[in-house]
Amino acid sequence: MMRPFLRTLTPVLIMLMAVVLSGCGEQFLVLDPKGPIGESQKDLIYFSTILCSVIIIPVLILAAFIIWRYRDKPNRKASYTPNWEHSTKLEVTWWGIPIVVILILAVVTVRYTYALEPSKPIESAKEAITIEVTSLDWKWLFTYPDSGISTVNYIKIPEDVPIKFRLTSDTAMNSFWVPQLGGQIYTMSGMAMTLYLQADEQGSYYGSGANFTGEHFAQMTFKVDATSEEEYQAWIDDVKASSPALTMDGFEALTEPGVSDVQLFSSSPEGLFDKVVMQYVNGGGSAHQHHGSGAAKPAETKDDETTTESTTESHDHMSSGMETTTQNHAGH
């Protein structure tokens, strides 16, 4: 009695473990998209899943049937054919169907890949709003260059308006992801990536860092609120009127490892995003430049002037020598 019970209970436990380990949380938000990019990606997920099921489901059913049908049992009357080694029909079937499925999947995936290229603008009668994204340890800094405000771990956008995200990282690589609006894209130090997204409906959407970056990476989340254009503009005006400014010292404090609550700033240092991107480039403006790095510039300028004078004098000596040599040759 116990053995049949265990046989029945085992698959049930396996399914329950799969559900628990999957988390049953935000990852299922991709199947409830609220924007054109997320909608297209959901269609690709469904199409790929159904197409792959054409192979996977028959294979799983046949695997279970073969194990049951040809199990060892008393008085077995199955034919014994040890010399069987080939069947053209079976070979064509189990090679032909997967090849056709893979070809179809390849064509569809390539088309979606080009259509959903992250830096491709979303067609809209409305002008895109730019938001600059900088991933820090373990928080997100968002800057609105057109409005001049900045936020930490919070984004507000108007519905039905394309959003152009420019993304970089101050240190460790991370991955910017708003599941209901579109797929994730990496933020990398020294690089500026571009991602276009759009919210078709008003609401609050979950966002996160989808890349492991250390101790508090699981707390590196943010909220995206999509509102009407009027409410969005009122929020911009309120932040500019009632929030403190983000200074370079304030930015340096944000770069220190640690989690953060939502913060709003009425302004931020000009060109901060580009400075973060260029901080490792020789001669580029550094986002951390205020720690006395600019003090050496006058000395460098002076050295350059001295070098230029020395080089000019050397050229003059060389010119004089060449003139003397020319005159000597002419004398011969």
Side-chain angles (χ1 to χ4, degrees), residues 166 168-170 188-192 271-289:
R166 297 182 65 214
T168 191
S169 173
D170 184 56
M188 291 175 277
S189 185
M191 295 185 65
L272 178 61
F273 178 85
D274 293 325
K275 290 180 180 180
V276 174
V277 174
M278 300 295 291
Q279 63 181 311
Y280 301 113
V281 178
N282 291 330
S286 172
H288 309 277
Q289 196 173 27

PDB file of all heavy atoms in Angstrom, residues 166 168-170 188-192 271-289:
ATOM      1  N   ARG A 166      19.279  56.542 -20.951  1.00  0.00           N
ATOM      2  CA  ARG A 166      20.729  56.445 -21.183  1.00  0.00           C
ATOM      3  C   ARG A 166      21.317  55.851 -19.906  1.00  0.00           C
ATOM      4  O   ARG A 166      21.092  56.376 -18.810  1.00  0.00           O
ATOM      5  CB  ARG A 166      21.341  57.806 -21.484  1.00  0.00           C
ATOM      6  CG  ARG A 166      20.819  58.456 -22.748  1.00  0.00           C
ATOM      7  CD  ARG A 166      21.515  59.782 -22.997  1.00  0.00           C
ATOM      8  NE  ARG A 166      22.928  59.579 -23.256  1.00  0.00           N
ATOM      9  CZ  ARG A 166      23.900  60.425 -22.883  1.00  0.00           C
ATOM     10  NH1 ARG A 166      23.600  61.519 -22.192  1.00  0.00           N
ATOM     11  NH2 ARG A 166      25.166  60.168 -23.160  1.00  0.00           N
ATOM     12  N   THR A 168      24.447  53.887 -17.550  1.00  0.00           N
ATOM     13  CA  THR A 168      25.847  53.588 -17.275  1.00  0.00           C
ATOM     14  C   THR A 168      25.964  53.098 -15.833  1.00  0.00           C
ATOM     15  O   THR A 168      24.973  53.028 -15.103  1.00  0.00           O
ATOM     16  CB  THR A 168      26.737  54.826 -17.499  1.00  0.00           C
ATOM     17  OG1 THR A 168      28.126  54.440 -17.464  1.00  0.00           O
ATOM     18  CG2 THR A 168      26.509  55.868 -16.418  1.00  0.00           C
ATOM     19  N   SER A 169      27.169  52.753 -15.444  1.00  0.00           N
ATOM     20  CA  SER A 169      27.431  52.312 -14.075  1.00  0.00           C
ATOM     21  C   SER A 169      28.634  53.054 -13.530  1.00  0.00           C
ATOM     22  O   SER A 169      29.591  53.325 -14.266  1.00  0.00           O
ATOM     23  CB  SER A 169      27.693  50.801 -14.041  1.00  0.00           C
ATOM     24  OG  SER A 169      28.103  50.388 -12.743  1.00  0.00           O
ATOM     25  N   ASP A 170      28.576  53.394 -12.260  1.00  0.00           N
ATOM     26  CA  ASP A 170      29.723  54.069 -11.647  1.00  0.00           C
ATOM     27  C   ASP A 170      30.841  53.081 -11.359  1.00  0.00           C
ATOM     28  O   ASP A 170      32.016  53.424 -11.472  1.00  0.00           O
ATOM     29  CB  ASP A 170      29.289  54.762 -10.352  1.00  0.00           C
ATOM     30  CG  ASP A 170      30.415  55.556  -9.722  1.00  0.00           C
ATOM     31  OD1 ASP A 170      30.977  56.433 -10.399  1.00  0.00           O
ATOM     32  OD2 ASP A 170      30.754  55.285  -8.550  1.00  0.00           O
ATOM     33  N   MET A 188      27.113  49.402 -17.728  1.00  0.00           N
ATOM     34  CA  MET A 188      28.533  49.068 -17.640  1.00  0.00           C
ATOM     35  C   MET A 188      29.365  50.318 -17.436  1.00  0.00           C
ATOM     36  O   MET A 188      29.103  51.360 -18.045  1.00  0.00           O
ATOM     37  CB  MET A 188      28.977  48.330 -18.909  1.00  0.00           C
ATOM     38  CG  MET A 188      28.379  46.949 -19.034  1.00  0.00           C
ATOM     39  SD  MET A 188      28.779  46.115 -20.589  1.00  0.00           S
ATOM     40  CE  MET A 188      27.528  46.819 -21.650  1.00  0.00           C
ATOM     41  N   SER A 189      30.353  50.213 -16.578  1.00  0.00           N
ATOM     42  CA  SER A 189      31.225  51.333 -16.278  1.00  0.00           C
ATOM     43  C   SER A 189      32.018  51.728 -17.517  1.00  0.00           C
ATOM     44  O   SER A 189      32.580  50.877 -18.215  1.00  0.00           O
ATOM     45  CB  SER A 189      32.182  50.955 -15.140  1.00  0.00           C
ATOM     46  OG  SER A 189      32.959  52.064 -14.770  1.00  0.00           O
ATOM     47  N   GLY A 190      32.037  53.023 -17.799  1.00  0.00           N
ATOM     48  CA  GLY A 190      32.772  53.506 -18.962  1.00  0.00           C
ATOM     49  C   GLY A 190      32.009  53.393 -20.266  1.00  0.00           C
ATOM     50  O   GLY A 190      32.563  53.687 -21.322  1.00  0.00           O
ATOM     51  N   MET A 191      30.747  52.990 -20.215  1.00  0.00           N
ATOM     52  CA  MET A 191      29.933  52.859 -21.423  1.00  0.00           C
ATOM     53  C   MET A 191      28.567  53.498 -21.184  1.00  0.00           C
ATOM     54  O   MET A 191      28.054  53.488 -20.067  1.00  0.00           O
ATOM     55  CB  MET A 191      29.756  51.390 -21.823  1.00  0.00           C
ATOM     56  CG  MET A 191      31.025  50.694 -22.228  1.00  0.00           C
ATOM     57  SD  MET A 191      30.713  49.004 -22.814  1.00  0.00           S
ATOM     58  CE  MET A 191      29.757  49.340 -24.301  1.00  0.00           C
ATOM     59  N   ALA A 192      27.983  54.042 -22.247  1.00  0.00           N
ATOM     60  CA  ALA A 192      26.636  54.602 -22.195  1.00  0.00           C
ATOM     61  C   ALA A 192      25.743  53.794 -23.124  1.00  0.00           C
ATOM     62  O   ALA A 192      25.953  53.779 -24.329  1.00  0.00           O
ATOM     63  CB  ALA A 192      26.646  56.070 -22.610  1.00  0.00           C
ATOM     64  N   GLY A 271      26.145  67.887 -16.470  1.00  0.00           N
ATOM     65  CA  GLY A 271      26.973  66.902 -17.161  1.00  0.00           C
ATOM     66  C   GLY A 271      27.426  65.751 -16.289  1.00  0.00           C
ATOM     67  O   GLY A 271      28.400  65.076 -16.614  1.00  0.00           O
ATOM     68  N   LEU A 272      26.728  65.489 -15.175  1.00  0.00           N
ATOM     69  CA  LEU A 272      27.158  64.440 -14.243  1.00  0.00           C
ATOM     70  C   LEU A 272      27.200  63.071 -14.913  1.00  0.00           C
ATOM     71  O   LEU A 272      28.149  62.312 -14.731  1.00  0.00           O
ATOM     72  CB  LEU A 272      26.222  64.411 -13.039  1.00  0.00           C
ATOM     73  CG  LEU A 272      26.507  63.334 -11.982  1.00  0.00           C
ATOM     74  CD1 LEU A 272      27.896  63.532 -11.377  1.00  0.00           C
ATOM     75  CD2 LEU A 272      25.436  63.354 -10.883  1.00  0.00           C
ATOM     76  N   PHE A 273      26.180  62.751 -15.696  1.00  0.00           N
ATOM     77  CA  PHE A 273      26.130  61.436 -16.347  1.00  0.00           C
ATOM     78  C   PHE A 273      27.336  61.241 -17.258  1.00  0.00           C
ATOM     79  O   PHE A 273      28.001  60.184 -17.220  1.00  0.00           O
ATOM     80  CB  PHE A 273      24.835  61.304 -17.147  1.00  0.00           C
ATOM     81  CG  PHE A 273      24.707  59.999 -17.892  1.00  0.00           C
ATOM     82  CD1 PHE A 273      24.208  58.868 -17.265  1.00  0.00           C
ATOM     83  CD2 PHE A 273      25.090  59.910 -19.222  1.00  0.00           C
ATOM     84  CE1 PHE A 273      24.096  57.657 -17.952  1.00  0.00           C
ATOM     85  CE2 PHE A 273      24.978  58.704 -19.915  1.00  0.00           C
ATOM     86  CZ  PHE A 273      24.482  57.587 -19.279  1.00  0.00           C
ATOM     87  N   ASP A 274      27.646  62.234 -18.077  1.00  0.00           N
ATOM     88  CA  ASP A 274      28.777  62.116 -19.004  1.00  0.00           C
ATOM     89  C   ASP A 274      30.102  62.022 -18.250  1.00  0.00           C
ATOM     90  O   ASP A 274      31.033  61.333 -18.687  1.00  0.00           O
ATOM     91  CB  ASP A 274      28.808  63.304 -19.963  1.00  0.00           C
ATOM     92  CG  ASP A 274      27.622  63.295 -20.918  1.00  0.00           C
ATOM     93  OD1 ASP A 274      27.204  62.192 -21.318  1.00  0.00           O
ATOM     94  OD2 ASP A 274      27.121  64.379 -21.265  1.00  0.00           O
ATOM     95  N   LYS A 275      30.196  62.689 -17.105  1.00  0.00           N
ATOM     96  CA  LYS A 275      31.413  62.591 -16.302  1.00  0.00           C
ATOM     97  C   LYS A 275      31.590  61.183 -15.743  1.00  0.00           C
ATOM     98  O   LYS A 275      32.711  60.679 -15.667  1.00  0.00           O
ATOM     99  CB  LYS A 275      31.377  63.615 -15.159  1.00  0.00           C
ATOM    100  CG  LYS A 275      31.527  65.053 -15.627  1.00  0.00           C
ATOM    101  CD  LYS A 275      31.476  66.023 -14.455  1.00  0.00           C
ATOM    102  CE  LYS A 275      31.620  67.460 -14.926  1.00  0.00           C
ATOM    103  NZ  LYS A 275      31.562  68.424 -13.803  1.00  0.00           N
ATOM    104  N   VAL A 276      30.472  60.560 -15.329  1.00  0.00           N
ATOM    105  CA  VAL A 276      30.552  59.182 -14.841  1.00  0.00           C
ATOM    106  C   VAL A 276      31.014  58.255 -15.965  1.00  0.00           C
ATOM    107  O   VAL A 276      31.852  57.372 -15.764  1.00  0.00           O
ATOM    108  CB  VAL A 276      29.187  58.723 -14.291  1.00  0.00           C
ATOM    109  CG1 VAL A 276      29.230  57.240 -13.926  1.00  0.00           C
ATOM    110  CG2 VAL A 276      28.799  59.541 -13.070  1.00  0.00           C
ATOM    111  N   VAL A 277      30.479  58.454 -17.160  1.00  0.00           N
ATOM    112  CA  VAL A 277      30.857  57.613 -18.300  1.00  0.00           C
ATOM    113  C   VAL A 277      32.338  57.780 -18.625  1.00  0.00           C
ATOM    114  O   VAL A 277      33.038  56.798 -18.911  1.00  0.00           O
ATOM    115  CB  VAL A 277      29.997  57.965 -19.528  1.00  0.00           C
ATOM    116  CG1 VAL A 277      30.486  57.200 -20.757  1.00  0.00           C
ATOM    117  CG2 VAL A 277      28.532  57.642 -19.270  1.00  0.00           C
ATOM    118  N   MET A 278      32.843  59.019 -18.565  1.00  0.00           N
ATOM    119  CA  MET A 278      34.203  59.318 -19.017  1.00  0.00           C
ATOM    120  C   MET A 278      35.240  59.285 -17.904  1.00  0.00           C
ATOM    121  O   MET A 278      36.390  59.647 -18.129  1.00  0.00           O
ATOM    122  CB  MET A 278      34.223  60.704 -19.668  1.00  0.00           C
ATOM    123  CG  MET A 278      33.319  60.852 -20.876  1.00  0.00           C
ATOM    124  SD  MET A 278      33.829  59.807 -22.253  1.00  0.00           S
ATOM    125  CE  MET A 278      35.357  60.626 -22.725  1.00  0.00           C
ATOM    126  N   GLN A 279      34.879  58.823 -16.704  1.00  0.00           N
ATOM    127  CA  GLN A 279      35.788  58.956 -15.565  1.00  0.00           C
ATOM    128  C   GLN A 279      37.076  58.154 -15.704  1.00  0.00           C
ATOM    129  O   GLN A 279      38.069  58.467 -15.060  1.00  0.00           O
ATOM    130  CB  GLN A 279      35.064  58.551 -14.279  1.00  0.00           C
ATOM    131  CG  GLN A 279      34.606  57.096 -14.233  1.00  0.00           C
ATOM    132  CD  GLN A 279      33.877  56.763 -12.945  1.00  0.00           C
ATOM    133  OE1 GLN A 279      34.378  57.076 -11.858  1.00  0.00           O
ATOM    134  NE2 GLN A 279      32.708  56.147 -13.036  1.00  0.00           N
ATOM    135  N   TYR A 280      37.101  57.121 -16.547  1.00  0.00           N
ATOM    136  CA  TYR A 280      38.313  56.319 -16.697  1.00  0.00           C
ATOM    137  C   TYR A 280      39.093  56.664 -17.967  1.00  0.00           C
ATOM    138  O   TYR A 280      40.084  56.022 -18.278  1.00  0.00           O
ATOM    139  CB  TYR A 280      37.953  54.838 -16.715  1.00  0.00           C
ATOM    140  CG  TYR A 280      37.243  54.385 -15.461  1.00  0.00           C
ATOM    141  CD1 TYR A 280      35.919  53.969 -15.499  1.00  0.00           C
ATOM    142  CD2 TYR A 280      37.891  54.408 -14.226  1.00  0.00           C
ATOM    143  CE1 TYR A 280      35.251  53.572 -14.351  1.00  0.00           C
ATOM    144  CE2 TYR A 280      37.241  54.014 -13.074  1.00  0.00           C
ATOM    145  CZ  TYR A 280      35.915  53.596 -13.140  1.00  0.00           C
ATOM    146  OH  TYR A 280      35.267  53.207 -12.000  1.00  0.00           O
ATOM    147  N   VAL A 281      38.639  57.651 -18.695  1.00  0.00           N
ATOM    148  CA  VAL A 281      39.298  58.031 -19.942  1.00  0.00           C
ATOM    149  C   VAL A 281      40.342  59.091 -19.644  1.00  0.00           C
ATOM    150  O   VAL A 281      40.060  60.084 -18.964  1.00  0.00           O
ATOM    151  CB  VAL A 281      38.273  58.569 -20.968  1.00  0.00           C
ATOM    152  CG1 VAL A 281      38.970  59.002 -22.252  1.00  0.00           C
ATOM    153  CG2 VAL A 281      37.226  57.512 -21.262  1.00  0.00           C
ATOM    154  N   ASN A 282      41.556  58.925 -20.153  1.00  0.00           N
ATOM    155  CA  ASN A 282      42.615  59.902 -19.941  1.00  0.00           C
ATOM    156  C   ASN A 282      42.210  61.241 -20.541  1.00  0.00           C
ATOM    157  O   ASN A 282      41.883  61.328 -21.727  1.00  0.00           O
ATOM    158  CB  ASN A 282      43.926  59.436 -20.592  1.00  0.00           C
ATOM    159  CG  ASN A 282      44.510  58.236 -19.885  1.00  0.00           C
ATOM    160  OD1 ASN A 282      44.319  58.061 -18.685  1.00  0.00           O
ATOM    161  ND2 ASN A 282      45.223  57.393 -20.616  1.00  0.00           N
ATOM    162  N   GLY A 283      42.236  62.273 -19.720  1.00  0.00           N
ATOM    163  CA  GLY A 283      41.850  63.591 -20.201  1.00  0.00           C
ATOM    164  C   GLY A 283      40.379  63.848 -20.119  1.00  0.00           C
ATOM    165  O   GLY A 283      39.923  64.963 -20.367  1.00  0.00           O
ATOM    166  N   GLY A 284      39.566  62.810 -19.796  1.00  0.00           N
ATOM    167  CA  GLY A 284      38.118  62.983 -19.690  1.00  0.00           C
ATOM    168  C   GLY A 284      37.744  63.552 -18.342  1.00  0.00           C
ATOM    169  O   GLY A 284      38.454  63.407 -17.356  1.00  0.00           O
ATOM    170  N   GLY A 285      36.605  64.248 -18.304  1.00  0.00           N
ATOM    171  CA  GLY A 285      36.138  64.796 -17.039  1.00  0.00           C
ATOM    172  C   GLY A 285      35.713  63.688 -16.105  1.00  0.00           C
ATOM    173  O   GLY A 285      34.907  62.844 -16.461  1.00  0.00           O
ATOM    174  N   SER A 286      36.216  63.683 -14.902  1.00  0.00           N
ATOM    175  CA  SER A 286      35.891  62.620 -13.961  1.00  0.00           C
ATOM    176  C   SER A 286      34.752  63.021 -13.050  1.00  0.00           C
ATOM    177  O   SER A 286      34.666  64.168 -12.610  1.00  0.00           O
ATOM    178  CB  SER A 286      37.123  62.262 -13.124  1.00  0.00           C
ATOM    179  OG  SER A 286      36.785  61.371 -12.095  1.00  0.00           O
ATOM    180  N   ALA A 287      33.879  62.094 -12.779  1.00  0.00           N
ATOM    181  CA  ALA A 287      32.781  62.369 -11.854  1.00  0.00           C
ATOM    182  C   ALA A 287      33.298  62.578 -10.438  1.00  0.00           C
ATOM    183  O   ALA A 287      32.631  63.184  -9.614  1.00  0.00           O
ATOM    184  CB  ALA A 287      31.785  61.214 -11.881  1.00  0.00           C
ATOM    185  N   HIS A 288      34.500  62.084 -10.151  1.00  0.00           N
ATOM    186  CA  HIS A 288      35.088  62.209  -8.810  1.00  0.00           C
ATOM    187  C   HIS A 288      36.254  63.194  -8.837  1.00  0.00           C
ATOM    188  O   HIS A 288      37.208  63.059  -8.104  1.00  0.00           O
ATOM    189  CB  HIS A 288      35.573  60.839  -8.326  1.00  0.00           C
ATOM    190  CG  HIS A 288      34.534  59.777  -8.443  1.00  0.00           C
ATOM    191  ND1 HIS A 288      33.564  59.573  -7.502  1.00  0.00           N
ATOM    192  CD2 HIS A 288      34.287  58.863  -9.424  1.00  0.00           C
ATOM    193  CE1 HIS A 288      32.772  58.576  -7.859  1.00  0.00           C
ATOM    194  NE2 HIS A 288      33.193  58.132  -9.030  1.00  0.00           N
ATOM    195  N   GLN A 289      36.161  64.227  -9.681  1.00  0.00           N
ATOM    196  CA  GLN A 289      37.283  65.115  -9.948  1.00  0.00           C
ATOM    197  C   GLN A 289      37.517  66.126  -8.832  1.00  0.00           C
ATOM    198  O   GLN A 289      38.580  66.716  -8.743  1.00  0.00           O
ATOM    199  CB  GLN A 289      36.994  65.870 -11.254  1.00  0.00           C
ATOM    200  CG  GLN A 289      38.215  66.545 -11.858  1.00  0.00           C
ATOM    201  CD  GLN A 289      37.882  67.115 -13.225  1.00  0.00           C
ATOM    202  OE1 GLN A 289      36.750  67.451 -13.522  1.00  0.00           O
ATOM    203  NE2 GLN A 289      38.863  67.219 -14.065  1.00  0.00           N
TER     204      GLN A 289
END
